[in-house]
Amino acid sequence: MRFTSEVENIFTQKEIEEILKYEQQFFIDHAEKNWLNRYFKISAMAKETQVPSVVSSISDMPKGSGTFNKSKTESFALQSVRAREWVETLFKAVESLNPCEQELIELKYLQKRNDGAKYSDEVIYPQLFMGKNKYYRMKREALEILGRKLYGVITEGDCS
């Protein structure tokens, strides 16, 4: 409680609201850019079953040496496993949302129309039986929650 009153003495209410707005936008951007917008590409990698051509390599360098190349088959298999783990992590985070937020995220980001395009917001909010303002407020809240849950999960270099 004391810390809160000290912070309020340092920052004005408007400054605190501005900081929180930027924080919220950071997590929304993280959820969209690092997770939801990559879903279809990484999901396809997780389902990939094609095995690259097998080529043996012989080296006199000890295993684990920086100059020794890993096999293409091993790299491909690891990439597929990482992609499946990535998708699983995303789904667990989505499943932790309340049912309405979960449905919103699934319709907006995890499903495509027959022509391959994503559904627009104008198509989704009537399906959820809610008004435009409530839809956009819920969408921001759901994205922020996802961003917070998924922030810190290692994604760089994992799959893409």
Side-chain angles (χ1 to χ4, degrees):
M1 185 76 163
R2 183 173 169 223
F3 176 75
T4 304
S5 63
E6 288 177 11
V7 168
E8 289 174 347
N9 291 332
I10 296 171
F11 299 105
T12 65
Q13 183 65 31
K14 186 175 181 177
E15 289 171 328
I16 293 171
E17 288 172 6
E18 195 70 22
I19 291 167
L20 293 176
K21 184 176 84 173
Y22 286 126
E23 179 184 346
Q24 180 187 38
Q25 191 59 48
F26 171 81
F27 287 112
I28 289 170
D29 290 344
H30 177 70
E32 286 186 314
K33 291 176 186 171
N34 296 324
W35 290 88
L36 297 169
N37 292 343
R38 297 171 64 197
Y39 168 71
F40 289 105
K41 177 183 174 188
I42 295 177
S43 179
M45 290 169 56
K47 296 174 187 172
E48 192 79 30
T49 57
Q50 177 186 4
V51 177
S53 62
V54 178
V55 178
S56 297
S57 61
I58 300 173
S59 173
D60 59 350
M61 297 298 293
K63 187 171 180 153
S65 170
T67 59
F68 186 74
N69 294 328
K70 292 182 181 176
S71 76
K72 290 180 182 179
T73 306
E74 179 185 10
S75 296
F76 187 82
L78 287 173
Q79 181 179 2
S80 181
V81 168
R82 283 190 210 113
R84 274 186 248 128
E85 289 173 350
W86 186 95
V87 170
E88 208 173 280
T89 300
L90 175 61
F91 281 158
K92 284 180 183 176
V94 170
E95 289 169 0
S96 73
L97 299 171
N98 75 45
C100 200
E101 291 170 336
Q102 188 176 354
E103 187 176 7
L104 185 154
I105 294 297
E106 288 172 358
L107 286 170
K108 178 65 182 170
Y109 297 99
L110 306 180
Q111 294 180 11
K112 288 187 178 181
R113 301 183 324 200
N114 291 337
D115 64 0
K118 290 183 181 178
Y119 290 100
S120 69
D121 293 322
E122 290 75 22
V123 170
I124 297 171
Y125 66 78
Q127 288 183 24
L128 298 174
F129 303 104
M130 64 177 67
K132 189 176 186 177
N133 291 336
K134 182 178 180 183
Y135 169 81
Y136 283 110
R137 186 173 51 252
M138 183 180 294
K139 180 179 166 185
R140 287 186 65 78
E141 290 171 5
L143 288 171
E144 180 184 5
I145 292 167
L146 271 181
R148 287 181 185 277
K149 288 180 182 288
L150 296 169
Y151 183 73
V153 176
I154 305 299
T155 60
E156 293 304 313
D158 279 359
C159 302
S160 56

